[in-house]
Amino acid sequence: MLSHWIIAPVVLPAVLAPLIVLAFRRDLTLQRVFSTAGTIALLVLALSLLVSSAKGPELYRLGDWPAPFGIVLMLDRLSALMLTLTAGLALVVQLYTIGTGWDARGKHFHALLQFQLMGLNGAFLTADAFNLFVFFEVLLIASYALMIHGAGGDRLRAGVQYVAFNLLGSSLFLIALALLYSVTGTLNMADLAVRIATIPEGDIALIRVGAVLLMLVFAIKGALVPLQFWLPGTYANAPGPVAALFAIMTKVGAYATIRIGTLVFPPDVAATGTLIADLLFWGALATLVVGAVGVLGATTLPRLAAFAAIASMGTLFLGVSSFTTQGITAALYYMIHSTLAGAALFLIADLIRTRQGAQGMAGKGVLACLYFAAAIALAGMPPLSGFLGKLMVMQVWSQHAALVWSVILASSFLMILGLARMGSNLFWKGPEDVTSALPQPVALTGIFALVAGLVALTVFAGPVTAWLQTTAETAIDPAAYIAANDLPIMEAK
Amino acid sequence: MEALIAATIGLLTAGGIYLMLRARTFPVILGLTLLSYAVNVFIFVSGRLAVNLPAIIDKTATGYTDPLPQALVLTAIVISFGMTAVIVLMALGAWLTTGHDRVDLEDGQ
């Protein structure tokens, strides 16, 4: 029975995490075993859901209450893609953490990781706006605790700033949801789409305010200018593997923007029109510029990686803001690429930090090669997938080539400069290779897996793009999604 | 009645944001609390104001008030309670470790 498997990605980590906290509190080995087994099971689940999502959107009613009176989960191609990406990244981060012993530096790393996965999976699967808020909070609170894992003054201070910023964002989310509910009377995403399409004239102003507030919340999550100020401090001070895991957190903002922006507020709806697309376009351009300048100006590798994450969100949102099939395809391809590349750079930064001693860096050769690969990927240079992704985004905006192409190319140039300078500072200055000791093999496997993923993304770009194009088509034309919700036809009052 | 509640929400929000901008941990936490009060009242109001009407089915009821915003407010209160606990402990930890309670990070940190 496929239907109950849809909720398994949420229930499995939700059951595993308390088990780890209660039963295995003093035994790190058992924690590692169960947590890794759980993540592998999640990956297998996500892949099988990915395969079955090709048939069309599938509904899951919680408690068997019909939509819109009950909360529903929807498995469609976009959700399945995000589930797979999350599970793959989580497995890599878990291998790295176990390999380098990061999980021993504080308590409850594995339980928190499972809660984080529960929140992420739930956010990707839900089809109800308030349920989206609840899963956002679950993933946020797990991320607060993960961020201060391993303690330390700087980390705690950055953590307080991160929490305060996101609590403000949560308040905005609630205000937006209350506004939308007060006008439409529903919180189910498909039902919102149906009702907003036919909203009476007098309520349009409230709908517009609600839409912009909602997009502000996703912009906070997705680090869109001018709401990106939380990211550099947070990502630079978080533990390395946690920062790598946070690579998927900004993508939650992008996913929510795509979902709400194509389903509830598409550009052809009378109430909001192109309001959201316009705001996103200018925000994305500014984000790209800020990220590139930050990459050039960063003095330490973690901060550089954080600004590179901001820049990649800018390119992503550029693709999203066109709200066409081509644009969403480019955005999804770039999303996969930037998750893998950003995570790789954060893990490499962590390895470099731990292996840099007064006598120089141990195992410089391997680290330099990995850094080179990650840098090429992030800067968007051929032959890796960053180049293809940026090319696709540029093709989407060929109408406004003068503005968009110059911003993309100039920012890529700045990023290449920044990454090259950081690389030469790290690897070409200082004493020669102290020992030839390789980093921990399990940890290295994780990073190599990410780089291999990037290479695979390039080599198989054709089939991947074709699959993503079908996904984008189902997103841009949400009729099947809305129909699958099986909404009752209400008589006019 | 609507004017009174709208003014209350506005005042609570204004006070909350003023406190948050003071950028020390205790005012920030208090500001977030005030803001969450305002937001919770706002969610409650989104179901429209009705005097003396029940939310649950009642044989003697002449009409009903909207029960869903009340459930939403409960969820929001519980979530912000947990979040407040987390930020209080983090702020305490940050103060004990670094010796000051400024929320802003220094440049380049």
Side-chain angles (χ1 to χ4, degrees):
Chain A
M1 245 216 306
L2 170 75
S3 51
H4 286 301
W5 286 114
I6 296 180
I7 199 163
V10 179
V11 168
L12 173 61
V15 165
L16 203 50
L19 184 70
I20 294 177
V21 169
L22 293 175
F24 308 130
R25 245 174 54 191
R26 305 188 200 285
D27 193 337
L28 186 60
T29 319
L30 273 182
Q31 283 185 22
R32 288 174 170 176
V33 163
F34 272 83
S35 185
T36 316
T39 316
I40 294 178
L42 273 179
L43 185 57
V44 168
L45 254 177
L47 285 170
S48 58
L49 287 176
L50 190 68
V51 165
S52 66
S53 70
K55 290 198 287 278
E58 183 147 348
L59 186 73
Y60 183 81
R61 300 189 175 96
L62 290 179
D64 218 14
W65 293 102
F69 307 109
I71 295 174
V72 292
L73 305 181
M74 267 300 246
L75 176 75
D76 71 341
R77 300 172 78 116
L78 183 57
S79 312
L81 169 69
M82 303 304 297
L83 284 180
T84 319
L85 195 56
T86 309
L89 179 65
L91 188 59
V92 166
V93 165
Q94 195 139 38
L95 286 178
Y96 180 87
T97 319
I98 295 175
T100 51
W102 258 108
D103 52 354
R105 293 198 206 182
K107 292 199 167 84
H108 309 307
F109 178 85
H110 290 285
L112 288 169
L113 180 68
Q114 292 302 321
F115 274 129
Q116 172 96 80
L117 290 178
M118 168 193 168
L120 283 166
N121 291 340
F124 292 138
L125 279 172
T126 185
D128 180 286
F130 198 80
N131 203 218
L132 182 66
F133 165 74
V134 172
F135 278 118
F136 259 52
E137 297 307 298
V138 173
L139 72 92
L140 277 176
I141 200 167
S143 75
Y144 302 155
L146 275 176
M147 201 235 145
I148 58 170
H149 177 83
D154 284 342
R155 194 162 285 153
L156 279 168
R157 284 188 53 217
V160 173
Q161 180 220 202
Y162 176 50
V163 176
F165 214 103
N166 276 293
L167 287 185
L168 198 49
S170 303
S171 307
L172 276 179
F173 203 157
L174 283 171
I175 298 177
L177 286 176
L179 269 173
L180 289 177
Y181 177 75
S182 68
V183 177
T184 55
T186 178
L187 287 166
N188 180 295
M189 286 187 202
D191 205 16
L192 274 173
V194 166
R195 294 198 192 193
I196 288 182
T198 56
I199 205 88
E201 181 88 27
D203 291 333
I204 285 189
L206 281 176
I207 289 287
R208 288 172 76 95
V209 174
V212 172
L213 278 177
L214 208 51
M215 288 303 158
L216 273 179
V217 176
F218 302 145
I220 293 179
K221 256 340 281 129
L224 203 61
V225 163
L227 300 157
Q228 88 296 355
F229 290 102
W230 61 273
L231 198 148
T234 305
Y235 280 36
N237 287 302
V242 173
L245 186 63
F246 283 6
I248 194 83
M249 301 266 286
T250 43
K251 312 301 181 286
V252 177
Y255 162 82
T257 310
I258 296 177
R259 179 65 79 199
I260 301 285
T262 54
L263 181 63
V264 184
F265 301 113
D268 50 9
V269 145
T272 50
T274 52
L275 172 65
I276 293 173
D278 294 335
L279 289 173
L280 278 178
F281 176 73
W282 292 108
L285 283 178
T287 311
L288 192 46
V289 169
V290 164
V293 170
V295 165
L296 188 56
T299 45
T300 58
L301 186 52
R303 259 183 101 75
L304 185 147
F307 277 105
I310 296 181
S312 59
M313 287 312 290
T315 321
L316 222 180
F317 274 113
L318 254 184
V320 172
S321 65
S322 69
F323 286 111
T324 58
T325 310
Q326 207 188 357
I328 305 277
T329 312
L332 289 177
Y333 185 87
Y334 202 81
M335 188 190 294
I336 306 175
H337 152 83
S338 63
T339 309
L340 299 177
L345 192 59
F346 275 113
L347 291 182
I348 294 167
D350 187 64
L351 264 185
I352 290 176
R353 197 189 47 82
T354 51
R355 300 180 72 77
Q356 195 145 32
Q359 295 83 26
M361 199 187 306
K364 222 187 236 193
V366 174
L367 287 176
C369 291
L370 287 174
Y371 175 81
F372 183 57
I376 289 186
L378 267 178
M381 286 175 72
L384 285 180
S385 46
F387 175 67
L388 292 174
K390 285 201 177 170
L391 200 58
M392 281 197 254
V393 174
M394 281 165 73
Q395 273 176 336
V396 169
W397 286 105
S398 45
Q399 244 67 16
H400 297 76
L403 175 63
V404 177
W405 288 18
S406 45
V407 170
I408 293 184
L409 292 172
S411 62
S412 299
F413 179 59
L414 288 180
M415 285 178 69
I416 293 173
L417 281 181
L419 285 161
R421 193 190 58 175
M422 181 66 67
S424 74
N425 272 339
L426 283 172
F427 299 110
W428 286 350
K429 298 195 177 140
E432 275 307 307
D433 200 345
V434 213
T435 63
S436 318
L438 281 181
Q440 238 277 350
V442 177
L444 261 191
T445 318
I447 307 184
F448 271 115
L450 286 174
V451 175
L454 285 170
V455 171
L457 199 56
T458 321
V459 168
F460 296 112
V464 169
T465 317
W467 193 90
L468 289 175
Q469 184 137 10
T470 328
T471 310
E473 277 161 19
T474 62
I476 293 280
D477 176 27
Y481 188 102
I482 298 178
N485 268 273
D486 214 6
L487 298 168
I489 302 170
M490 307 290 242
E491 313 86 49
K493 292 212 173 99
Chain B
M1 169 89 97
E2 277 87 359
L4 176 65
I5 298 214
T8 310
I9 295 175
L11 274 174
L12 282 171
T13 313
I17 293 186
Y18 172 78
L19 280 174
M20 281 200 76
L21 291 175
R22 306 222 40 216
R24 304 250 157 194
T25 48
F26 187 56
V28 162
I29 295 172
L30 276 187
L32 283 169
T33 313
L34 282 185
L35 197 56
S36 78
Y37 294 164
V39 167
N40 290 333
V41 178
F42 184 74
I43 302 175
F44 184 78
V45 164
S46 72
R48 303 299 189 282
L49 296 173
V51 182
N52 247 347
L53 291 181
I56 306 176
I57 293 188
D58 191 350
K59 288 197 181 59
T60 60
T62 48
Y64 293 100
T65 181
D66 196 339
L68 186 56
Q70 304 189 10
L72 300 180
V73 173
L74 266 174
T75 313
I77 291 175
V78 167
I79 291 177
S80 52
F81 168 66
M83 298 297 180
T84 310
V86 169
I87 193 176
V88 163
L89 281 175
M90 263 205 218
L92 193 59
W95 183 71
L96 287 172
T97 323
T98 59
H100 66 78
D101 65 347
R102 283 191 304 276
V103 176
D104 285 339
L105 297 175
E106 269 99 57
D107 275 338
Q109 197 177 357

